[in-house]
Amino acid sequence: MPRPRKRDYDDLRRDLIDAGGRLLADEGPAALSTRRVAQATGTSTTAVYSLFGDKAGLVREMFVEGFDRLAAAFAAVPRTGDPLADLLALGDAYRANALANPHLYELMFARPVPEFRPAPEAGRRIRSTFDALVAACARCVEAGVFAEADPDAVAVQLNAMAHGLCSLELRGALGDAAEARAHWRRAFAALTRGLA
């Protein structure tokens, strides 16, 4: 049998991460086993162990992958001459990423697997997503859009609002997609007015 190409390993890795995330989101931490993840992707547990080492390694990679996808979503937002529009576009990217990856979202921001704690290395790796938000806030401060002089403080407020809205939307508490979008717009308009 020919050795799989690198792309095949990348696809399998992604499939295993998504399968693990869906099991965790749909059935809880008790359902997350290497056997169940392998079955969901039509492969063997050997593949899980080869790629991730063990179940803890799979959970760690699910966590990091969620932030890698968020970082990619942020990187795809173009930078324009309007810092506030760019900041709001990051909010849209955050929301779109959460809706596209709901099975990874809770693991990114909560502790559905009680024994999982991100290692310092993972913390450094995921920091770029918050740094992107701080940089966008700094542009707004420099342009005089916000009166608050601390971009980190602004980023924390915006991040908290985005997280709260995403959590509610993913649980169906903001109505349909149009209603949820309207809630997002009103909340961010009110916060940015207050910051100004």
Side-chain angles (χ1 to χ4, degrees):
M1 181 174 190
R3 182 180 168 88
R5 297 183 307 273
K6 182 179 187 318
R7 181 179 57 83
D8 297 326
Y9 287 117
D10 291 342
D11 290 345
L12 179 58
R13 178 186 174 279
R14 184 180 180 95
D15 290 346
L16 290 166
I17 285 171
D18 284 333
R22 288 188 186 97
L23 280 169
L24 180 61
D26 295 345
E27 300 180 41
L32 186 60
S33 71
T34 56
R35 182 184 57 78
R36 293 279 311 272
V37 171
Q39 285 176 341
T41 56
T43 191
S44 68
T45 55
T46 303
V48 180
Y49 293 123
S50 296
L51 288 167
F52 306 111
D54 56 14
K55 176 183 162 182
L58 171 62
V59 172
R60 180 182 60 251
E61 289 304 306
M62 288 162 50
F63 173 79
V64 171
E65 178 69 17
F67 282 98
D68 284 350
R69 293 179 190 182
L70 178 58
F74 280 0
V77 174
R79 184 172 169 159
T80 71
D82 185 340
L84 181 58
D86 293 352
L87 179 61
L88 295 176
L90 284 182
D92 291 339
Y94 183 96
R95 176 178 180 249
N97 185 70
L99 294 175
N101 299 285
H103 56 293
L104 299 178
Y105 188 81
E106 187 172 354
L107 180 60
M108 293 166 66
F109 298 108
R111 292 292 168 260
V113 180
E115 65 274 15
F116 172 69
R117 294 286 179 273
E121 177 187 321
R124 287 188 294 274
R125 187 168 162 192
I126 68 173
R127 177 71 195 193
S128 67
T129 57
F130 188 70
D131 289 345
L133 179 58
V134 172
C137 291
R139 287 183 63 218
C140 288
V141 170
E142 290 163 10
V145 175
F146 295 152
E148 168 64 60
D150 183 0
D152 284 277
V154 176
V156 168
Q157 293 174 55
L158 290 168
N159 191 50
M161 181 179 288
H163 174 63
L165 288 166
C166 272
S167 296
L168 291 170
E169 185 171 3
L170 290 174
R171 285 165 176 70
L174 296 184
D176 64 23
E179 291 171 318
R181 182 84 173 141
H183 285 299
W184 272 79
R185 287 291 176 222
R186 284 193 297 270
F188 275 94
L191 181 56
T192 55
R193 276 196 308 272
L195 289 165

